[in-house]
Amino acid sequence: MVVNVGIFFVNGIKTQQFYLCLKLLGNVEKKMAPKGKLIIIGGAIDTGSFTETQFGLPQNMNFFERGILKKITTESINNTESRFEIITTASLIPEKVGEEYIKAFAQLDVHNVGVLNISNREQANAVENCERLKAADVVIFTGGDQLRLTSIFGGTAFHQILLEKYENEEIVIAGTSAGAAASSKNMIYQGSSKDALLKGEVKITGGLGFIDGVIVDTHFVQRGRIGRLLYATASNPGILGIGLGEDTGLYISKGNRMEAIGSGMVILVDGRNMLDTNLTDVEMGQPVSIKNMVVHVMSNGDVYDLTAHQLTIHHPRVIPVD
């Protein structure tokens, strides 16, 4: 049977065009979940990547003893045989940081590890570095300065390949400290903890864009950065603020399932039900007021559904002591 639908007009728009618009909108709604996995980590003791100043690897062993580096390994497609690339771009001492990651993974029987110290945009577009990225199963961004990551990688061939691999391949992308902060579409890059709730003190720019709808802060509990996240969320209540404690991270799969891992806490700041703020009314440098901001605390094993905005708390079975 042939049905002649013809062409009608809906408020001046041809029906064929109208239904095409609906179809396109539906495709946006049904966007496929990324095949890749994202692991964002609040940092190691004081530094974000084992060491940036006076601390050495032995003092930071909990960083992977608690299972975070092991989690990165077991979630990779070829486990200990996976190809790892450590991106040390954010660090001021990239050679030292790279060496320590190699040592750390060696203790987990992972030996196929390379270090990419990409220090400028020309290197981020270089064919050799892009080919290494194409062959990688795991990419880890170390700590340091997140603005270096976005300014060096943003819009380059390296960045585009990484985004495509995350959408279409079973790659693991991990970031610690600066690497975690840069993982989202929006990124905090500056702002003192003490003055964070003064208008204009927290600086936000675009991140690497592996995950949307969130903004990430790191070294969160130890450096008292709750004010930075409250400000960031109040300025854009549609995004979820994520504060990662040290030795703590989130394992994000399917683009929306976030599981807390590690030994510390993850703080979530949800501004969707915020009732009021004077952010746009006060002068620069003046305190900001916020009404009805929701805060959640996650620890190891808890899961947050980013689509449904629901937190499921893990209740471990307590074994009685005789």
Side-chain angles (χ1 to χ4, degrees):
M1 180 176 68
V2 177
V3 179
N4 185 7
V5 294
I7 298 177
F8 299 94
F9 285 81
V10 179
N11 292 333
I13 301 175
K14 289 182 179 179
T15 9
Q16 288 179 340
Q17 295 172 338
F18 178 72
Y19 285 115
L20 177 60
C21 290
L22 289 179
K23 184 177 179 181
L24 290 173
L25 287 171
N27 287 340
V28 171
E29 290 290 328
K30 296 176 182 177
K31 183 182 177 183
M32 297 293 290
K35 291 185 177 180
K37 302 168 184 176
L38 188 62
I39 298 178
I40 53 176
I41 308 147
I45 299 172
D46 191 60
T47 62
S49 52
F50 299 126
T51 179
E52 285 286 318
T53 51
Q54 73 271 33
F55 291 95
L57 182 60
Q59 287 81 16
N60 291 278
M61 295 288 280
N62 278 344
F63 186 65
F64 63 91
E65 281 184 341
R66 294 284 185 172
I68 294 179
L69 295 194
K70 187 173 179 64
K71 180 74 170 177
I72 293 172
T73 304
T74 56
E75 290 297 336
S76 64
I77 190 167
N78 294 310
N79 207 297
T80 57
E81 299 302 314
S82 292
R83 174 61 183 175
F84 286 64
E85 290 288 0
I86 312 300
I87 314 295
T88 57
T89 303
S91 177
L92 295 176
I93 48 171
E95 294 81 8
K96 179 63 175 174
V97 170
E99 290 172 5
E100 290 182 348
Y101 269 93
I102 291 173
K103 292 176 185 177
F105 277 112
Q107 296 192 42
L108 298 174
D109 201 30
V110 177
H111 302 285
N112 191 7
V113 182
V115 177
L116 278 170
N117 179 28
I118 295 173
S119 59
N120 57 59
R121 293 180 63 82
E122 183 178 355
Q123 292 175 353
N125 283 307
V127 173
E128 178 185 356
N129 292 329
C130 289
E131 290 301 315
R132 283 181 59 173
L133 176 61
K134 289 177 182 178
D137 302 308
V138 178
V139 171
I140 300 176
F141 289 92
T142 71
D145 180 358
Q146 55 263 43
L147 202 55
R148 282 181 56 81
L149 292 176
T150 55
S151 62
I152 290 174
F153 287 111
T156 62
F158 194 97
H159 185 206
Q160 188 59 41
I161 291 168
L162 194 53
L163 288 170
E164 290 174 359
K165 282 177 72 73
Y166 180 63
E167 289 295 326
N168 303 308
E169 300 179 25
E170 294 183 44
I171 189 174
V172 174
I173 300 176
T176 178
S177 190
S183 64
S184 54
K185 187 174 181 179
N186 298 285
M187 180 185 81
I188 297 172
Y189 71 93
Q190 187 178 322
S192 71
S193 302
K194 179 173 66 74
D195 298 324
L197 281 172
L198 301 182
K199 183 176 179 178
E201 286 298 316
V202 177
K203 304 296 191 297
I204 299 171
T205 188
L208 295 176
F210 304 124
I211 185 169
D212 197 3
V214 304
I215 193 164
V216 180
D217 209 351
T218 59
H219 298 283
F220 190 75
V221 178
Q222 291 80 353
R223 298 187 187 178
R225 288 179 167 172
I226 184 66
R228 298 201 334 174
L229 208 55
L230 286 169
Y231 185 94
T233 309
S235 67
N236 188 355
I239 61 175
L240 180 74
I242 299 175
L244 301 170
E246 292 176 350
D247 294 332
T248 307
L250 280 177
Y251 164 56
I252 304 171
S253 56
K254 299 180 180 178
N256 66 359
R257 185 185 186 276
M258 307 194 306
E259 178 185 353
I261 57 176
S263 61
M265 293 178 291
V266 178
I267 310 298
L268 303 181
V269 177
D270 185 352
R272 290 176 305 125
N273 295 314
M274 183 181 73
L275 295 179
D276 196 13
T277 179
N278 63 355
L279 179 61
T280 59
D281 303 315
V282 299
E283 298 291 333
M284 296 295 287
Q286 293 300 305
V288 173
S289 301
I290 305 169
K291 182 179 180 180
N292 205 56
M293 191 74 80
V294 176
V295 176
H296 303 290
V297 181
M298 299 176 69
S299 59
N300 191 49
D302 295 345
V303 174
Y304 188 86
D305 185 320
L306 193 54
T307 301
H309 291 282
Q310 292 183 346
L311 173 63
T312 302
I313 293 179
H314 171 61
H315 293 271
R317 184 172 171 231
V318 179
I319 300 175
V321 178
D322 294 333

